[in-house]
Amino acid sequence: MSNELANLFNKNDLINGIVEINKKRDLEIFEFVGEMINNEMSKFKEYVDDRLLKLEKTNKTQLQEIAQQMTTQEKNIDDLKERMKKTEEYTSIIERDSAKLKELSKVVKKTVYKHTGSNTSPKYILFYDCFIKNCYSKLQEIFEVNSTKKIKLEDFDLALKAAERWRPSRALINKKLQEYIEKQEKGLLKEEKSKALDVYLDEIGGIL
């Protein structure tokens, strides 16, 4: 009986020993598996972080490229608008119509000719160029342009009437006469204009 009990105790010890060994083994396995999981999680986190960083850089680059494209496109649109504006402005002024330019020039010359007389008269010799320039200058003032070529087509008829109504002012004539007299006194006035000046001053009795 005592031998059976002894054997029983030995078996129990053996079983307990095996259980303890299994517990230790399970713990080691658990720790090993846990370590593997932690390593894999760490690698996965590094992978995700790396992918996110690359994606962020890619997105940033793409956004910069898109922004650059938008800026270029906006500039192209602005350039196109400016060209369209210039085209519209050009097509709406008399500069594009050579016939109208010639007609306006003809009216200006005709008007000035009425105030100078024939091309051999002293007044013509002295004032024709000055009157032409002044007439065009007045037209520019009336229509607020830096050149009569920029007058709008819709204002063309008004420009013709304004040119026909132009008159040289006494102040303009006297200013020009004073310039001629000063040049004549200095011997700088051409002979043709010097003779015309003498004749004209005799006709009007001097500067008014």
Side-chain angles (χ1 to χ4, degrees), residues 39-168:
N39 289 337
E40 291 301 319
M41 287 297 294
S42 178
K43 291 179 181 179
F44 181 71
K45 184 176 182 301
E46 290 178 2
Y47 171 77
V48 171
D49 290 343
D50 182 63
R51 291 292 297 173
L52 288 174
L53 181 60
K54 289 181 179 180
L55 183 61
E56 181 180 354
K57 289 181 178 179
T58 301
N59 287 341
K60 186 177 181 181
T61 301
Q62 289 177 342
L63 287 173
Q64 290 175 341
E65 290 176 353
I66 292 173
Q68 182 62 40
Q69 290 173 358
M70 289 179 65
T71 300
T72 302
Q73 191 65 19
E74 288 175 357
K75 185 179 183 302
N76 290 338
I77 291 174
D78 289 340
D79 290 343
L80 180 60
K81 287 181 178 179
E82 184 64 24
R83 288 198 298 270
M84 290 177 64
K85 181 180 178 182
K86 289 181 179 180
T87 300
E88 183 179 355
E89 289 175 350
Y90 177 73
T91 56
S92 65
I93 58 178
I94 63 175
E95 184 176 10
R96 65 176 291 271
D97 193 327
S98 59
K100 282 183 168 51
L101 284 174
K102 290 178 181 179
E103 185 177 358
L104 179 61
S105 176
K106 183 178 179 180
V107 170
V108 168
K109 290 177 180 179
K110 183 178 179 181
T111 299
V112 168
Y113 193 77
K114 287 193 303 184
H115 296 284
T116 61
S118 68
N119 57 10
T120 58
S121 68
K123 199 170 184 179
Y124 180 94
I125 296 170
L126 295 172
F127 302 113
Y128 180 80
D129 291 338
C130 172
F131 286 178
I132 289 287
K133 183 177 179 180
N134 185 262
C135 183
Y136 278 119
S137 178
K138 291 300 181 182
L139 290 175
Q140 291 174 26
E141 289 180 13
I142 294 171
F143 296 99
E144 298 180 345
V145 292
N146 58 12
S147 169
T148 50
K149 294 180 180 180
K150 305 300 182 183
I151 295 174
K152 294 181 179 179
L153 285 170
E154 61 188 45
D155 294 329
F156 178 68
D157 290 338
L158 293 176
L160 291 180
K161 292 179 180 179
E164 291 172 350
R165 290 195 301 267
W166 176 86
R167 299 287 184 277

Side-chain angles (χ1 to χ4, degrees), residues 7-23:
N7 290 333
L8 179 62
F9 283 125
N10 289 334
K11 289 180 179 179
N12 287 337
D13 291 340
L14 180 60
I15 291 171
N16 290 333
I18 292 172
V19 170
E20 288 298 323
I21 291 173
N22 286 335
K23 285 181 179 179

Side-chain angles (χ1 to χ4, degrees), residues 157-179:
D157 290 338
L158 293 176
L160 291 180
K161 292 179 180 179
E164 291 172 350
R165 290 195 301 267
W166 176 86
R167 299 287 184 277
S169 67
R170 175 51 59 183
L172 174 65
I173 294 174
N174 283 347
K175 181 181 178 180
K176 199 64 182 177
L177 285 175
Q178 189 61 49
E179 290 178 7

